[in-house]
Amino acid sequence: MASIYKRGNTWTANIFVIKDGKRRRKTKSGFKTKAQAKGWANEMEVAKQNNTLTLRSDMLFADFYDNWFVTFKAPTITKATSRWYLYVSKSIRNYFPKTKIEDVTRINFQSFLNSFGKTHGVNTARKMRTLIKQVAVAAIADGYISKDFTYRTNITGQEPKSADLKFLEEDDMKALADYISSKPLTIRAVTDMMIITALQSGARYAEIAGLEWPDVNFEKGFIRIETTWDQFYKEFKPTKTKSSIRNIDMPSSYMDELYDWHQLHPDTTFVFQGKNDIPPTSNAANKQLRRDLDDIGAIKIITFHGLRHTHASWLLAHDVDLHYVSERLGHSNTTITLNTYSHLLKTRRNSEIDKSISLLSNL
């Protein structure tokens, strides 16, 4: 039953509801007329009957998110995945430091997305909204809010770089391999060995960093990927997918060089062991790659992961079977390979153009 009364020059309405076994009150003041107060009270009564009535809370948006994460997500996800959730938590706390969960609206959440999109990629922004939407749904289920503030909000952000920028063309690929090979093993950087391994195998940074000497089969000429290295927590973890567990056949010239590398580092646990007896970080590998590419005057400056793209693109451009390339990369299926490497190297593209024109000319 609603309680409506006049306080000074305005009207106030109270709604009572049983919540968690206790009698709770929802109040709103400032109505200019009794009719307005009664109208609001009627709306709240309908919401109460539909179980959509929310009660005022002092819970901050950031605190609700953190509580939700600790209770529902942290026990079920990996440490690596949790870093993304913690990043979202920090973003929310920075933008909504004192905003209560019930005060988050579509307008101020859209403003948050707009601000985030100015300095981040559109894919990152999309992932951010998807995760926060889960929080909004949880807040509705727990009675903190009645509407989804992420509903029909728009993603903004910087578009991802062109696929052409993610891999080296054949000339630069060969120049990079030759340049690293010209450095004597006795003085060659560990990160250079990781770079040449990525170029020859197409393996990911974490897979290469996690290699131990028992994973190298010198007799049969392959490296075995069974685990990965988590550079943040400095521990081993499972591969990205079950399909990522694989043997990667390597050129004999590479295996011969790796054998000599082993002779120079017979007591290391990791194949590529840096300071503090652990593998170099991805940041260190990226810095070394940039130096190498600068030294050879490469047209493109790519990241360490771009070496994986270079490896796959080069094989596909030279008509290596798609299924084999997919298995070599550790993809779950060929669809992933096709979607990722739909582009081809420039020389292959020009060749396909000439071939197509020639065929069409003979119709």
Side-chain angles (χ1 to χ4, degrees), residues 7 50 60 62 64 83 90 183 185 197 215 277 281 335:
R7 179 185 291 172
N50 294 333
L60 296 179
F64 182 88
R83 287 198 297 271
K90 183 179 179 180
K183 302 179 183 181
L185 280 178
T197 302
D215 299 320
D277 297 328
T281 64
T335 301

Side-chain angles (χ1 to χ4, degrees), residues 84-98:
W84 169 251
Y85 283 84
L86 294 175
Y87 172 72
V88 175
S89 172
K90 183 179 179 180
S91 300
I92 291 174
R93 199 166 289 279
N94 286 341
Y95 195 87
F96 298 100
K98 298 181 179 180

Side-chain angles (χ1 to χ4, degrees), residues 69-233:
F69 167 70
V70 170
T71 305
F72 294 98
K73 287 297 179 180
T76 63
I77 59 178
T78 65
K79 290 181 178 179
T81 303
S82 70
R83 287 198 297 271
W84 169 251
Y85 283 84
L86 294 175
Y87 172 72
V88 175
S89 172
K90 183 179 179 180
S91 300
I92 291 174
R93 199 166 289 279
N94 286 341
Y95 195 87
F96 298 100
K98 298 181 179 180
T99 304
K100 297 176 182 178
I101 181 67
E102 66 177 14
D103 292 332
V104 182
T105 65
R106 290 181 65 245
I107 292 177
N108 57 27
F109 182 67
Q110 182 64 62
S111 296
F112 162 73
L113 291 176
N114 294 343
S115 176
F116 187 82
K118 291 178 181 178
T119 55
H120 296 81
V122 65
N123 292 333
T124 303
R126 182 176 293 107
K127 189 172 183 179
M128 173 80 73
R129 185 184 65 174
T130 298
L131 194 153
I132 295 179
K133 183 177 181 63
Q134 297 177 38
V135 178
V137 171
I140 293 172
D142 292 342
Y144 285 90
I145 59 177
S146 59
K147 295 181 180 180
D148 178 5
F149 54 79
T150 69
Y151 178 69
R152 288 194 175 181
T153 48
N154 300 313
I155 294 298
T156 63
Q158 302 171 25
E159 290 297 328
K161 293 181 179 179
S162 168
D164 288 340
L165 300 178
K166 295 182 179 179
F167 67 96
L168 298 175
E169 297 292 346
E170 185 168 1
D171 289 346
D172 283 344
M173 177 186 178
K174 290 182 176 180
L176 177 62
D178 290 342
Y179 179 62
I180 294 177
S181 296
S182 70
K183 302 179 183 181
L185 280 178
T186 52
I187 61 172
R188 189 180 299 177
V190 179
T191 45
D192 265 334
M193 287 299 294
M194 297 177 74
I195 289 169
I196 201 68
T197 302
L199 202 60
Q200 295 278 14
S201 68
R204 305 173 178 91
Y205 159 80
E207 296 172 338
I208 294 172
L211 286 173
E212 298 179 286
W213 286 115
D215 299 320
V216 180
N217 191 317
F218 289 109
E219 182 180 351
K220 295 184 178 180
F222 66 78
I223 58 176
R224 172 114 181 127
I225 305 296
E226 284 190 319
T227 57
T228 62
W229 177 250
D230 189 319
Q231 62 179 321
F232 297 99
Y233 293 97

Side-chain angles (χ1 to χ4, degrees), residues 308-309 312-313 316 320-343:
R308 176 174 168 85
H309 294 313
S313 298
L316 292 172
V320 176
D321 181 69
L322 174 66
H323 288 81
Y324 173 72
V325 174
S326 183
E327 291 175 4
R328 190 173 178 87
L329 296 174
H331 285 165
S332 301
N333 53 65
T334 56
T335 301
I336 296 174
T337 314
L338 280 171
N339 289 340
T340 307
Y341 303 105
S342 56
H343 58 280

